[in-house]
Amino acid sequence: MSTHFARSRRSSHRTLLGRILLWMIVPLFALWSIGIVITYFISLNLANSPYDRTLSSHLRLLRHEVEQQHLNQGIALSGSARTVLAGGTDDTPTTWQILDANGHLVAGNAHIPTPENWGYDIDQVHFRNAQIGHQSVRIAYVWGGRDQAGSGFLAVVAEPAEARATLQQEILTGMLTPQLIILPLAAMLAGLGLTQGLEPLSLLQELMRRRKPGDLSPIRDDLAPAEIVPLIDAMNDVLQRLEASLESQRRFVANAAHQLKTPLAGIRTQCEVALREHDPAQVRASLQQLVTGSQRATRLVNQLLLLARAESIDPGQSRTTELLDLCALAEDCTSQWVSAALERNQDLGFEANDEPLPVFGNRTMIHELLNNLIHNALLYTPEGGQITVRALAEGDDCCLEVQDTGPGIPPEERTRVFDRFYRILGQGADGSGLGLSIVREVAEHHHATIAFLPPGNHQDPTSAGTRLRVSFPRDRTRP
């Protein structure tokens, strides 16, 4: 198993240059092998063509000589015909034979193999290869000639194949020698060209190695080839997301350290007071303050964690979680705050839509968005006030709406209240200033919009308070 794993690691780390050369050289050599086979047949045809034309001329000459004579009186070739058939040299003489219609030898060399299954197709020259003893020969024959008496005959000529083989070898040598020289040179030049072409990758690697650990600046692509630019863009995108993630972590740590100082200092003070007190009532009051301070610290930490998680969500994926019914989710969330409203002597109500409101989103995040809106409404609405939560459809949007009868938010403050830790002066409410920041982050990641609406209604157009609506895109796959 370890050997297989090591082999797998080696194969998975094969160099890019090696992969490219492998895909270039192996097909190149395969094509070269196919080219050799094709070259062989081409050279064979080139070597046979001129010799076959000469052999065909000798065959026609022999046939003409026999047509001027009588087969039953014997065949005697003229001196010029014997000279032509001799070929001007003793090395490659053309031998011949004449056969009658029954295949019996009439004249000529009896050692020439008789053509097998030769037909009586007139004036059709045929070629074939054969052996005479240990010598390879090329044979040509034709049927259709007639002597002076009208008797048909088969004319056959044969010549040694050594000259053809020599010519074919010369043609092959002439055609393959340049290939044998050019192919290795082409492979070397391809390797050199690829090495030079991949040099920008080596430069990029060296540039990345020289970077300091905290350097997340974009990688320059002005000197990179066009093929590497998409890779650099992808790396820059990763660096940008990593920088954003680290910045989010730094903000979380800084915000947590800044905001937790006050509740932790209060908890420590109350602990010191409780240790010094001997009156059970004062000790109990200090302990109650400890509980309140720890609750505030716990909520602050939870809000900071939720804000950090909302900031780290990829906007392209935040809405692809599940299909939700916004109306049912709002009703469930509102019911969880009824007891808190009763403790503050406040009227918390819910107005549902007539039919479901389908949206795609993260259930936990949208639930926390509505929790923060309701908590803010309870926090800033005085005792005896009213808070109404609505789930409604508005055109192509599914909306969540929270309305209260508190002091309201001045128009000039409505853009700043979404900044983290920002609180309107003079309100006197106990909060961290993170609720609406979380609402904005969750809304942005769900492509939702936030709007302040006039708090009045048809019954009381002048009523005060705050009416805030968050509009989500409707899931269009549902009716």
Side-chain angles (χ1 to χ4, degrees), residues 16-339:
L16 179 61
L17 178 61
R19 288 176 180 268
I20 296 176
L21 287 176
L22 180 64
W23 280 99
M24 287 182 60
I25 300 302
V26 171
L28 186 61
F29 273 96
L31 290 175
W32 182 63
S33 301
I34 296 173
I36 289 177
V37 176
I38 296 174
T39 302
Y40 170 79
F41 285 105
I42 291 176
S43 64
L44 183 62
N45 181 68
L46 291 175
N48 280 333
S49 293
Y51 282 99
D52 283 348
R53 285 195 296 268
T54 301
L55 196 60
S56 179
S57 298
H58 292 177
L59 184 62
R60 286 193 295 270
L61 174 62
L62 176 63
R63 174 179 168 178
H64 178 72
E65 288 285 329
V66 176
E67 286 178 342
Q68 309 303 317
Q69 305 177 40
H70 291 274
L71 294 179
N72 55 5
Q73 296 178 3
I75 302 299
L77 299 182
S78 63
S80 60
R82 288 195 299 270
T83 301
V84 171
L85 293 178
T89 175
D90 294 335
D91 295 334
T92 57
T94 300
T95 56
W96 57 274
Q97 68 176 195
I98 301 297
L99 304 176
D100 61 15
N102 296 319
H104 298 146
L105 180 65
V106 176
N109 190 343
H111 297 291
I112 299 177
T114 302
E116 299 177 0
N117 301 322
W118 56 274
Y120 294 94
D121 44 348
I122 299 175
D123 298 332
Q124 293 293 325
V125 180
H126 298 278
F127 297 91
R128 71 188 186 96
N129 298 319
Q131 292 283 128
I132 298 179
H134 298 289
Q135 186 181 38
S136 297
V137 295
R138 180 73 166 172
I139 299 175
Y141 58 92
V142 63
W143 168 265
R146 294 186 179 276
D147 65 356
Q148 292 292 329
S151 300
F153 63 89
L154 178 70
V156 182
V157 293
E159 67 176 7
E162 286 81 358
R164 297 167 181 263
T166 301
L167 179 59
Q168 181 184 3
Q169 184 176 1
E170 292 175 353
I171 294 174
L172 278 174
T173 302
M175 297 178 69
L176 294 181
T177 299
Q179 297 183 28
L180 290 174
I181 298 174
I182 292 175
L183 185 63
L185 289 177
M188 293 175 57
L189 291 175
L192 180 62
L194 287 172
T195 302
Q196 294 298 320
L198 295 176
E199 183 65 22
L201 289 180
S202 301
L203 295 177
L204 177 61
Q205 176 186 2
E206 186 62 26
L207 180 64
M208 295 301 294
R209 288 183 182 275
R210 290 202 304 264
R211 281 201 164 205
K212 296 180 180 179
D215 186 3
L216 297 177
S217 60
I219 304 170
R220 295 178 54 188
D221 61 356
D222 50 349
L223 299 179
E227 293 79 5
I228 304 180
V229 170
L231 173 62
I232 295 179
D233 290 341
M235 294 175 64
N236 286 336
D237 182 63
V238 173
L239 290 175
Q240 184 179 3
R241 285 184 287 166
L242 179 60
E243 185 177 17
S245 177
L246 293 176
E247 180 62 26
S248 176
Q249 293 180 9
R250 285 193 292 266
R251 284 200 306 268
F252 171 76
V253 173
N255 294 335
H258 176 73
Q259 293 298 317
L260 288 176
K261 286 190 299 184
T262 301
L264 291 179
I267 291 174
R268 179 178 178 180
T269 300
Q270 293 299 326
C271 288
E272 293 175 350
V273 170
L275 289 174
R276 289 196 305 265
E277 289 290 343
H278 299 285
D279 185 0
Q282 292 295 330
V283 173
R284 181 177 179 81
S286 297
L287 292 176
Q288 184 61 44
Q289 291 295 326
L290 284 174
V291 172
T292 303
S294 63
Q295 289 176 343
R296 289 181 55 195
T298 300
R299 175 164 178 79
L300 178 60
V301 170
N302 288 335
Q303 286 187 312
L304 285 170
L305 289 173
L306 182 63
L307 186 61
R309 185 172 64 172
E311 290 177 340
S312 64
I313 294 178
D314 186 353
Q317 298 180 355
S318 61
R319 299 180 64 245
T320 58
T321 51
E322 59 178 320
L323 179 65
L324 306 173
D325 180 5
L326 205 61
C327 186
L329 187 148
E331 184 177 5
D332 176 66
C333 183
T334 304
S335 64
Q336 298 177 13
W337 288 93
V338 172
S339 58

